[in-house]
Amino acid sequence: MAKEPGTTDGAPEELSDLRVLKALAQPRRQQMLQHLTVHGPATSATLARALGLNTGATSYHLRELARYGFVEETEGGGGGHGRERWWRAIPGDRRFPPRSKQSAETRLVMDELNRLSYAADLELFEQLQRDSDAAPGEWADAFPYSRGTIRLTLPELRAFFEEYIALLNRYKRPDAETPADARTVLTRLLAFPAPEPTDEPPVIDKPATTDESPSSEPEATS
């Protein structure tokens, strides 16, 4: 399972050290990494304003992220003061050990990290929908979406994932070669095996009261 920020800049790196995972799973750091990934380099003051924090907190979290190789200092963006420290997210193909090889404590950390990631993705998606409705433009239809089902062996699923990563990297290019009208596009892949069939009948939640008969049709409105 690969994680933000960025795609691959070389061989995949497995994050198995529990200390690193705990540092990454801190909610504020996840917010800061997301901001740097979506909006580009920023100072601690910029992050503090964007996330409603104080600069002391953002500076501390940036140092911790830098300690574990997730961010680094970079050239200033936008002609700021010379002593301002700008930070960027370091791209990388970062992966986590298979769940079957994770300790109980690692699984708890990973579950929290995934929960934060999924919630952040959904919030960004909903924000884009609201922004597109408020001010529709040429990017208002930028919602490619697919739901599918395929039958694979476990080795085939692993190969499928590697081909997906390779496809992302085909479209990755240096900033100097990126057209002026390009935008940052967030890509997410979630693939998981369907639950095994059982002999037990499915449990269907029913409303507390049902006044309609089973054969009733929705009432037409004009």
Side-chain angles (χ1 to χ4, degrees), residues 4-6 29-42 47 50-51 87-90 117 120-121 123-125 127-128 131 175 182-188:
E4 292 281 25
R29 293 170 197 164
Q30 280 292 296
Q31 289 179 309
M32 293 165 66
L33 275 175
Q34 175 180 283
H35 190 281
L36 293 173
T37 301
V38 174
H39 301 291
L47 291 169
L51 303 177
W87 300 84
R88 68 183 284 266
I90 300 176
S117 299
D121 289 341
E123 182 179 352
L124 282 172
F125 184 76
Q127 178 186 339
L128 179 60
D131 293 347
D175 290 341
R183 288 182 57 175
T184 298
V185 175
L186 305 179
T187 59
R188 304 290 186 265

Side-chain angles (χ1 to χ4, degrees), residues 4-161:
E4 292 281 25
T7 52
T8 181
D9 267 0
E13 174 190 6
E14 184 173 285
L15 304 181
S16 57
D17 190 323
L18 188 57
R19 295 172 301 173
V20 176
L21 296 177
K22 286 183 175 180
L24 184 61
Q26 209 281 343
R28 295 301 188 191
R29 293 170 197 164
Q30 280 292 296
Q31 289 179 309
M32 293 165 66
L33 275 175
Q34 175 180 283
H35 190 281
L36 293 173
T37 301
V38 174
H39 301 291
T43 65
S44 61
T46 303
L47 291 169
R49 288 192 296 270
L51 303 177
L53 302 173
N54 60 65
T55 55
T58 54
S59 294
Y60 167 73
H61 289 310
L62 284 168
R63 289 194 301 270
E64 287 297 294
L65 288 169
R67 176 185 177 188
Y68 293 108
F70 297 110
V71 303
E72 66 181 1
E73 288 193 58
T74 185
E75 294 294 328
H81 299 294
R83 291 193 297 177
E84 286 184 327
R85 300 177 68 181
W86 287 78
W87 300 84
R88 68 183 284 266
I90 300 176
D93 184 355
R94 300 184 179 94
R95 309 189 185 188
F96 303 118
R99 192 169 181 85
S100 61
K101 296 182 180 180
Q102 296 173 9
S103 67
E105 188 174 4
T106 297
R107 288 184 182 182
L108 289 176
V109 175
M110 285 303 309
D111 288 347
E112 175 64 7
L113 181 57
N114 286 330
R115 185 190 69 79
L116 292 170
S117 299
Y118 299 150
D121 289 341
L122 182 57
E123 182 179 352
L124 282 172
F125 184 76
E126 291 176 343
Q127 178 186 339
L128 179 60
Q129 287 182 310
R130 292 193 300 269
D131 293 347
S132 298
D133 290 341
E138 62 179 354
W139 283 85
D141 297 328
F143 293 88
Y145 179 67
S146 172
R147 299 178 76 228
T149 302
I150 49 180
R151 292 185 62 83
L152 301 173
T153 64
L154 189 55
E156 288 173 335
L157 179 57
R158 291 169 179 155
F160 175 84
F161 177 75

Side-chain angles (χ1 to χ4, degrees), residues 167-183:
L167 177 63
L168 286 184
N169 289 318
R170 277 177 48 197
Y171 286 87
K172 186 179 181 182
R173 54 196 166 191
D175 290 341
E177 300 175 11
T178 301
D181 60 345
R183 288 182 57 175

